[in-house]
Amino acid sequence: MTENTQQQTATTPELPTQYAPAEVEGKLYERWVERGYFEADAKSEKPAYTVVIPPPNVTGSLHMGHAFEHTLIDALTRRKRMQGFETLWQPGMDHAGIATQNVVERELAKEGKSRHDLGREAFVERVWQWKAESGGQIQGQMRRLGEGVAWNRDRFTMDEGLSRAVQTVFKRMYDEGLIYRAERIINWCPRCLTAISDIEVDYQDDEGELVSLKYGEGDETLIVATTRAETMLGDTAVAVHPDDERYAHLIGKRIKLPLTDRSIPVVADTHVDPEFGTGAVKVTPAHDPNDFAIGQRHGLESIEVLNERGIITVHGPFEGLDRFEARSAIVAALRAEGRIVAEKRPYTHSVGHCSRCRTTLEPRVSLQWWVKVAPLAQAAGDAVRDGRVAIHPADMTQRYYDWVDNMHDWCISRQLWWGHRIPVWHGPNGEMVAVGPDEQPPSGDGWSQDPDVLDTWFSSGLWPFSTLGWPEQTPDLAKFYSTDVLVTGYDLMFFWVARMMMFGLYTMDGQPPFRTVAFHGMVRDEFGKKMSKSAGNTVNPLDWMDAYGSDAVRFTLARGANPGTDVPIGEDWVQASRNFANKIWNATRFALMNGATVEGELPAPEQLTAVDRWILSRLNKTVAEVDAHYDDYQFAKLSDALYHFAWDEVFDWYVELSKTTYFAGGEQAKVSARVLGEVLDVTLRLLHPVMPFVTEELWTTLTGRESVVVTRWPADSGFRDEAAEREIELVQRVVTEVRRFRSDQGLQPGQKVPAQLEVTGTPLAPHEPAIRQLLRLQPAGDGFQATATLPVAGASVALDLSGAIDVAAERKRLAKDLAAAEKEKAQAEAKLGNEAFLAKAPEPVVGKIRARLSAAESDITRISGQLETLPQM
């Protein structure tokens, strides 16, 4: 297990008395980058390990979700690098079409201008200027977190190479009929003035109104209900179910549409639920996806009554009104005509909002570009079904299938200026030509490029291979594709994961973009609530890094990372992780001051004390446990295992049990110092992927070697000593039980008392000096009189407490506590024995009473035991 591949200096410098993260982290990170530790070489003969970063938006800054996800990826890649893999963590940023355009348009608005004042070319140049000056601040923040990404390979979804990949894929899919242009209902944002895809719609419950309207007259009357009365101006039919006898006489007839001079047909369609409402629905094909489908089936006209800004466009008194103003005006007009049958307000219903600007979306018929997803989605599902891609945790797999097996065609065009412009040229006679990256576009009168840009997720869907040089067959592509694991939030399963699966399998001849998808949950506040600005519970991870150090933030996040589940985080937990970093620091200082070393071979087992053999056995088990958890993406479990091994077993037990050996000096002290050096060496290496800064500073000081970043990952040597483990467990039982007794008796931790230990002939005998030291037990001198005797672990510990506590006062205190516990028990038993109470009380109330009874009985047993151990007066 000893690492001897790097040169150790002759002397080991001393550590400062306190760990100051701000004085350590920045210089260490720059040293790592300067030395090229995070770079990856395609020519290396080492096996490859590749992870791509989920590219943050160029407009973004480091939030807690980034810090969480990046910590997990960094831990994986740091470990693999130490295991001898040619490790590539590919960095980069997404151009974030809508978000970035919005940012720059807001900047222009401050100058009293719009993008139309500049024109398309000048506006795009302005966005590039903004990116150069203000974009990408998150990359500096990623360095603060300690992320080991290959900065020399940094990519941007609109750089020249990635743009070439986008154009190549589009051309190929267009030529094969997988990309087409069609007029359909889309989600339209009247604020961003663009289409957005279904998965970019955020649904929330809004308070509106449900209005029931009367269409037609007399026997030819139909009642329909709507939450969007303004759209009735675009109705082109009323639909009923073909088997609904109530309306059989109306099917095929025409009825007058109120407020207009039009009449509309009554059509029969199985989409209508005859049991819901009146069983009749208004049909507005231009402004509702279900109505659009009905209109397609029945050849109905599609009348647009709202423009791209949500303004009424039809002639009449409502023209020029905003959609919400028009809603009220139209309801008033209908009421005046006696057409309102019922009104319900407020009426809470689910409404789609733009995920970028929160504006209420408007379904709208529009001519857009689409991807025919059926064959691509089939391939994406098959790759998981046949085992080429594993989803972790496994219970996320069905959710993935539910999405890819039922995916609708994807609207990929956006009415923006910032983004990858669709590489299609339109001719004067309706011609359309898709142009590849090495092709000349058609020219001449009447030819122009399509004005739309591609959905941001189109280019980010190519990320695992476009960042490696595709469409060129580069050495990087051959070495590092497929990537090994994608670590991402379950909320991106539909946005990003499915897109990458479809594009990767389509473009790379069936090779998936990654072999494993490891889903994690969302970071929430300490009470489990979603973090949001409106709730006021968001946390800037940089603030916590400033206060407690990056390692503390990273360790807290990793320790909460159970696969696929959300992660609560609070400042108290970060403080606890800071304390852990300080504990590691102080324990290493103690070790160095007592001669801990990594020099030379580890002594043979027969030269070791039982304490030494115990800690080495536990060390190897911990290595094996941590490895197993890493391979299963169980970050919380591996972090917890490391925390308890380092703090409890190494620092609290091994160091304390070994102090008598160190202080005695001699050869055995040297042996134990070598063991302590070994344990710290391996423990720091195990902790390094999650806590890189403090471990680097301590490990290089302890070993005198270059860097823990590029040293070997610890291996389980196979050494086990179950006998030593059982022996030390007995010691721990004695110390723990006596400490508990001392605490129960009100003794201070450092207070010394005379004691006799009867351990002769037991495995505890060699440890009597250490036990006395840990328990602050003085030798039993002349006149010793045992006032309490504790049998534990096959031994006996007799204590003389006569000079340590006021026995009379302690008996009085305990008697008072015992009386209170007995009273609590009696009250609980009385309630639980009352049948009338049990019949009426809710189960949670009864459960609380039972819990009170159990706690009281436990207190009575404990206090009675304490009284028995006190001397008789």
Side-chain angles (χ1 to χ4, degrees):
M1 195 180 295
T2 304
E3 169 64 74
N4 288 314
T5 60
Q6 300 177 50
Q7 183 67 38
Q8 183 176 8
T9 57
T11 59
T12 301
E14 291 185 359
L15 289 168
T17 56
Q18 292 183 329
Y19 177 50
E23 297 175 10
V24 170
E25 295 175 352
K27 69 176 183 179
L28 288 183
Y29 191 82
E30 291 309 312
R31 183 193 305 166
W32 294 335
V33 174
E34 289 169 4
R35 293 179 178 178
Y37 291 159
F38 306 139
E39 296 176 10
D41 184 2
K43 297 178 182 179
S44 170
E45 294 183 359
K46 297 177 183 178
Y49 184 82
T50 316
V51 182
V52 293
I53 197 170
N57 289 351
V58 67
T59 59
S61 60
L62 190 74
H63 57 63
M64 198 58 76
H66 288 129
F68 173 56
E69 182 172 84
H70 293 191
T71 292
L72 305 186
I73 301 173
D74 197 41
L76 290 174
T77 52
R78 283 179 181 271
R79 173 176 174 257
K80 285 296 182 180
R81 190 177 292 111
M82 294 171 73
Q83 287 182 317
F85 287 81
E86 192 64 26
T87 302
L88 170 60
W89 183 9
Q90 173 65 53
M93 290 188 298
D94 192 287
H95 65 278
I98 296 175
T100 306
Q101 181 156 319
N102 283 345
V103 167
V104 178
E105 286 196 89
R106 284 196 293 269
E107 293 294 318
L108 284 174
K110 295 176 183 177
E111 304 170 14
K113 298 178 182 178
S114 74
R115 61 180 163 124
H116 299 285
D117 294 323
L118 272 66
R120 182 167 194 147
E121 186 175 339
F123 176 78
V124 171
E125 182 58 36
R126 178 70 175 260
V127 180
W128 279 108
Q129 179 184 342
W130 175 87
K131 175 188 178 294
E133 295 174 356
S134 305
Q137 64 172 320
I138 192 173
Q139 292 186 332
Q141 297 163 347
M142 288 164 60
R143 291 171 179 260
R144 283 285 314 277
L145 193 63
E147 299 181 30
V149 299
W151 290 115
N152 62 319
R153 293 170 171 268
D154 192 27
R155 303 304 299 268
F156 180 55
T157 50
M158 282 187 62
D159 68 28
E160 184 178 352
L162 271 65
S163 296
R164 181 179 178 85
V166 167
Q167 196 171 351
T168 300
V169 169
F170 186 99
K171 164 72 172 173
R172 177 177 164 185
M173 294 180 73
Y174 178 87
D175 289 347
E176 294 180 8
L178 292 173
I179 288 179
Y180 63 95
R181 198 176 189 223
E183 192 173 66
R184 292 185 180 176
I185 283 277
I186 47 87
N187 303 296
W188 181 266
C189 178
R191 159 63 183 80
C192 299
L193 298 179
T194 182
I196 65 172
S197 66
D198 291 343
I199 54 177
E200 292 174 298
V201 179
D202 286 345
Y203 288 94
Q204 66 183 48
D205 287 339
D206 286 359
E207 283 192 358
E209 60 181 354
L210 181 67
V211 182
S212 296
L213 313 176
K214 181 174 71 173
Y215 286 12
E217 299 290 347
D219 293 338
E220 297 183 351
T221 296
L222 287 168
I223 306 298
V224 299
T226 180
T227 58
R228 301 164 66 219
E230 68 278 10
T231 64
M232 60 84 59
L233 300 175
D235 287 359
T236 56
V238 174
V240 297
H241 194 276
D243 299 331
D244 194 334
E245 295 181 358
R246 293 173 296 175
Y247 306 120
H249 67 291
L250 292 177
I251 295 173
K253 292 187 177 182
R254 301 184 71 86
I255 59 175
K256 187 175 185 304
L257 180 66
L259 304 183
T260 73
D261 57 3
R262 293 190 292 115
S263 66
I264 57 178
V266 178
V267 300
D269 197 282
T270 54
H271 170 75
V272 180
D273 180 359
E275 303 298 324
F276 184 77
T278 64
V281 297
K282 60 190 287 296
V283 182
T284 319
H287 295 286
D288 183 273
N290 293 321
D291 294 1
F292 180 81
I294 294 174
Q296 292 283 298
R297 288 193 290 272
H298 296 276
L300 300 175
E301 184 181 4
S302 184
I303 300 175
E304 184 178 298
V305 297
L306 292 165
N307 69 9
E308 69 276 6
R309 295 185 182 275
I311 305 298
I312 296 291
T313 59
V314 292
H315 296 293
F318 311 110
E319 184 178 6
L321 292 180
D322 171 81
R323 54 185 167 157
F324 301 117
E325 295 173 333
R327 182 176 299 170
S328 299
I330 288 170
V331 169
L334 289 166
R335 188 183 297 112
E337 288 192 4
R339 294 285 176 179
I340 302 294
V341 176
E343 298 178 70
K344 184 178 182 181
R345 63 171 67 86
Y347 178 73
T348 302
H349 59 127
S350 182
V351 178
H353 293 259
C354 176
S355 62
R356 297 295 181 186
C357 69
R358 314 309 305 164
T359 299
T360 300
L361 295 173
E362 199 64 47
R364 185 167 182 256
V365 169
S366 181
L367 185 62
Q368 301 286 343
W369 289 94
W370 303 82
V371 169
K372 186 183 297 183
V373 301
L376 306 174
Q378 176 69 43
D382 289 346
V384 175
R385 289 185 175 96
D386 64 25
R388 280 174 288 161
V389 178
I391 290 181
H392 188 87
D395 59 12
M396 287 282 181
T397 305
Q398 187 56 51
R399 186 174 176 182
Y400 174 80
Y401 291 149
D402 290 343
W403 174 251
V404 298
D405 292 346
N406 297 284
M407 195 182 297
H408 300 295
D409 283 2
W410 172 21
C411 178
I412 57 171
S413 46
R414 300 291 180 267
Q415 288 63 56
L416 304 171
W417 287 356
W418 173 246
H420 294 282
R421 193 167 177 180
I422 289 176
V424 171
W425 269 253
H426 300 274
N429 299 310
E431 306 97 326
M432 289 192 299
V433 177
V435 177
D438 297 319
E439 300 173 350
Q440 289 295 321
S443 58
D445 292 342
W447 284 95
S448 63
Q449 187 175 359
D450 195 284
D452 290 350
V453 301
L454 287 166
D455 178 10
T456 296
W457 297 102
F458 191 99
S459 53
S460 59
L462 314 182
W463 189 251
F465 53 89
S466 63
T467 52
L468 297 174
W470 190 90
E472 308 304 325
Q473 297 304 306
T474 63
D476 284 343
L477 195 65
K479 178 74 173 180
F480 297 113
Y481 188 91
S482 299
T483 67
D484 288 86
V485 61
L486 174 72
V487 179
T488 190
Y490 58 69
D491 59 322
L492 288 184
M493 181 185 292
F494 318 126
F495 283 99
W496 193 42
V497 178
R499 309 297 193 214
M500 286 189 289
M501 286 284 280
M502 292 191 300
F503 280 136
L505 293 162
Y506 169 75
T507 304
M508 301 301 293
D509 299 321
Q511 273 189 282
F514 22 76
R515 298 181 182 93
T516 298
V517 183
F519 285 116
H520 60 72
M522 304 295 101
V523 179
R524 296 182 177 271
D525 70 12
E526 59 188 306
F527 306 107
K529 295 180 179 179
K530 182 179 179 180
M531 287 188 176
S532 68
K533 292 181 180 178
S534 60
N537 62 347
T538 58
V539 176
N540 185 342
L542 296 171
D543 292 341
W544 281 356
M545 285 187 239
D546 289 340
Y548 308 112
S550 298
D551 286 328
V553 175
R554 289 171 60 116
F555 191 75
T556 304
L557 290 167
R559 202 174 179 193
N562 290 297
T565 60
D566 291 343
V567 183
I569 184 172
E571 190 165 5
D572 288 349
W573 305 335
V574 184
Q575 291 174 349
S577 295
R578 185 270 316 273
N579 294 343
F580 181 47
N582 289 341
K583 184 78 171 181
I584 301 169
W585 184 271
N586 292 332
T588 306
R589 283 191 72 247
F590 168 84
L592 290 172
M593 289 188 294
N594 286 277
T597 179
V598 297
E599 282 295 317
E601 294 297 324
L602 200 60
E606 57 269 19
Q607 296 178 267
L608 305 177
T609 66
V611 175
D612 292 335
R613 296 195 305 277
W614 162 73
I615 197 61
L616 290 175
S617 184
R618 290 294 308 129
L619 176 66
N620 278 284
K621 287 183 178 180
T622 301
V623 170
E625 182 181 0
V626 169
D627 275 333
H629 290 324
Y630 261 117
D631 293 341
D632 198 32
Y633 305 100
Q634 297 281 357
F635 296 97
K637 289 182 179 179
L638 72 89
S639 299
D640 213 46
L642 285 169
Y643 176 88
H644 288 294
F645 174 73
W647 191 307
D648 299 344
E649 297 187 277
V650 178
F651 306 146
D652 277 0
W653 283 108
Y654 178 69
V655 169
E656 293 299 323
L657 287 169
S658 299
K659 279 183 177 178
T660 54
T661 303
Y662 299 139
F663 298 157
E667 288 302 314
Q668 195 60 58
K670 294 179 181 179
V671 169
S672 292
R674 177 65 188 90
V675 172
L676 179 56
E678 179 77 7
V679 171
L680 285 175
D681 171 18
V682 174
T683 302
L684 292 171
R685 282 189 274 159
L686 289 173
L687 283 165
H688 173 73
V690 180
M691 305 180 75
F693 293 112
V694 68
T695 53
E696 172 80 341
E697 190 77 354
L698 294 175
W699 189 86
T700 53
T701 302
L702 172 70
T703 66
R705 297 171 187 148
E706 180 186 343
S707 173
V708 69
V709 177
V710 290
T711 197
R712 285 204 304 264
W713 179 253
D716 176 7
S717 70
F719 176 79
R720 301 287 191 275
D721 194 325
E722 301 297 339
E725 290 196 41
R726 288 192 296 271
E727 186 173 321
I728 302 307
E729 284 173 8
L730 293 177
V731 175
Q732 292 172 321
R733 281 180 57 194
V734 170
V735 173
T736 301
E737 288 296 324
V738 177
R739 279 177 173 169
R740 183 180 295 117
F741 174 78
R742 287 173 55 104
S743 176
D744 288 344
Q745 302 307 316
L747 295 178
Q748 296 300 312
Q751 190 172 353
K752 295 182 179 180
V753 294
Q756 286 180 339
L757 270 65
E758 295 181 10
V759 295
T760 304
T762 74
L764 296 168
H767 306 287
E768 180 173 351
I771 292 172
R772 285 187 174 276
Q773 173 67 27
L774 289 170
L775 292 173
R776 305 296 189 266
L777 302 180
Q778 293 177 321
D782 294 339
F784 173 83
Q785 183 177 0
T787 59
T789 301
L790 302 177
V792 58
S796 176
V797 182
L799 304 171
D800 181 359
L801 304 180
S802 58
I805 60 173
D806 184 334
V807 176
E810 187 64 14
R811 277 192 168 278
K812 185 176 180 180
R813 181 185 70 81
L814 290 172
K816 183 179 178 181
D817 291 346
L818 181 61
E822 289 173 338
K823 181 180 179 181
E824 175 74 1
K825 178 186 176 184
Q827 290 175 339
E829 286 178 334
K831 285 190 175 182
L832 294 174
N834 185 333
E835 293 184 3
F837 170 78
L838 294 177
K840 296 179 180 179
E843 181 55 36
V845 173
V846 176
K848 287 183 179 179
I849 300 299
R850 291 195 181 104
R852 284 171 51 192
L853 175 60
S854 177
E857 290 174 338
S858 178
D859 287 343
I860 290 169
T861 300
R862 175 180 56 82
I863 297 168
S864 298
Q866 290 175 236
L867 283 166
E868 289 177 5
T869 59
L870 286 175
Q872 296 298 320
M873 298 299 295

